[in-house]
Structures are given as C-alpha cells and as structure tokens.
Amino acid sequence: MSYSVGFSQSLEILFYIELKTKMGAETYLTIQQIAETLNIPIPSVKRLVGMLKKANLIDSKKGTKGGLALAKAADEIRFYDVFEAIEGSTALFKMYDDFNPESFNHQSEAKYMLNQIKAILNTTEKQMLNELKQKTLADLFNH
C-alpha cells in the first residue's frame, strides 16, 4: 500500500505558486498554467486544488486577473497540513486483524509478537507525521 502521488503533486503546486509569487512574475496563477508547467493533468490539478482550498491552503480569485494564490505564508504551510488535506487520516500501515494467536502452541509469544508489530508500526507512523509537522513550504527554498 502506498499513498497517492497527490501529496507530492500538491507540494509541487504550492511550491510553484510561491515561487512565481516570490519572483514577482505572477500574483495569481491559473490551473492551466500550473498543469502545463508541472506536467500534471488539468483534472488532477483541479481535484488537488479543491482539496487544498478546503484545507485553507490556497485562495482563489475570479476574473481576468484571477487565479490561485497561497492562503498563508510559505513558512506557515506545513507538509503535514498538505498531507492531511490530501490523504486525510488514512493510516500508513494497514494491520492484518484475522491473525489468531490462540491457534498457536505458544500463544503468549504470538500475542507478544503481534503487539510488537503494532507498536513498531505505530511508532514509525508517528515519527513520519512528526517529521512532516517540522517541515514547511519555506524549507524548499534556498535561503
């Protein structure tokens, strides 16, 4: 099992918007501009932008000078916020729950093994999420 590419594509979309804004080239970018530059299909960009808007990471403006902009400063957008917007609360590891330790001669060892597996995987997921909470969009830029 793996997460979708939507998370990394969303980081790229946000990075691109911030880059163009920092360079003063654009204030708002269209979905078409983003899709063409990043080589992401327009329907995918629309879907991801919708999720990012719902999470208050992107603002949109209508009109001839409209488009998309970041809703927050780059140093306020954590990777975790983007991850949560795209992947939701999906667990990193799916646990197989049909394992029956009662069918083993050494039931206590089997139960211990199952508990250890769950503990290790839970710790791994927490570490990953904590790392995502430490990184922001601003960390992608050379300072």
Side-chain angles (χ1 to χ4, degrees):
M1 184 209 117
S2 66
Y3 290 112
S4 70
V5 297
F7 172 55
S8 62
Q9 288 175 327
S10 294
L11 289 171
E12 292 168 10
I13 289 167
L14 294 169
F15 175 81
Y16 180 63
I17 292 170
E18 176 66 2
L19 180 64
K20 292 296 271 186
T21 303
K22 272 188 155 200
M23 293 172 49
E26 306 281 342
T27 305
Y28 289 91
L29 298 172
T30 67
I31 286 177
Q32 175 126 6
Q33 287 173 293
I34 294 167
E36 287 174 0
T37 302
L38 299 178
N39 199 27
I40 301 172
I42 289 175
S44 296
V45 174
K46 284 182 180 180
R47 181 179 54 81
L48 294 171
V49 163
M51 296 165 98
L52 295 169
K53 279 180 65 175
K54 187 176 180 182
N56 298 315
L57 299 173
I58 287 184
D59 279 332
S60 62
K61 179 180 173 186
K62 293 183 181 185
T64 56
K65 294 188 179 192
L68 304 170
L70 297 185
K72 301 176 180 181
D75 63 351
E76 295 176 0
I77 298 176
R78 300 177 305 167
F79 279 35
Y80 176 79
D81 301 324
V82 179
F83 179 81
E84 192 174 52
I86 303 304
E87 298 297 342
S89 59
T90 303
L92 177 60
F93 300 103
K94 275 194 180 275
M95 295 299 297
Y96 178 71
D97 291 330
D98 291 338
F99 187 90
N100 182 8
E102 307 297 323
S103 65
F104 284 81
N105 290 335
H106 304 287
Q107 292 177 12
S108 63
E109 287 83 359
K111 288 178 185 177
Y112 177 79
M113 179 210 53
L114 287 174
N115 288 333
Q116 286 301 109
I117 290 171
K118 287 179 183 179
I120 290 167
L121 297 180
N122 285 335
T123 299
T124 301
E125 182 169 356
K126 285 179 187 175
Q127 289 172 338
M128 180 197 77
L129 295 175
N130 285 335
E131 183 69 18
L132 293 177
K133 288 176 183 177
Q134 302 302 313
K135 303 297 179 193
T136 68
L137 190 62
D139 292 327
L140 299 175
F141 291 89
N142 292 332
H143 295 282

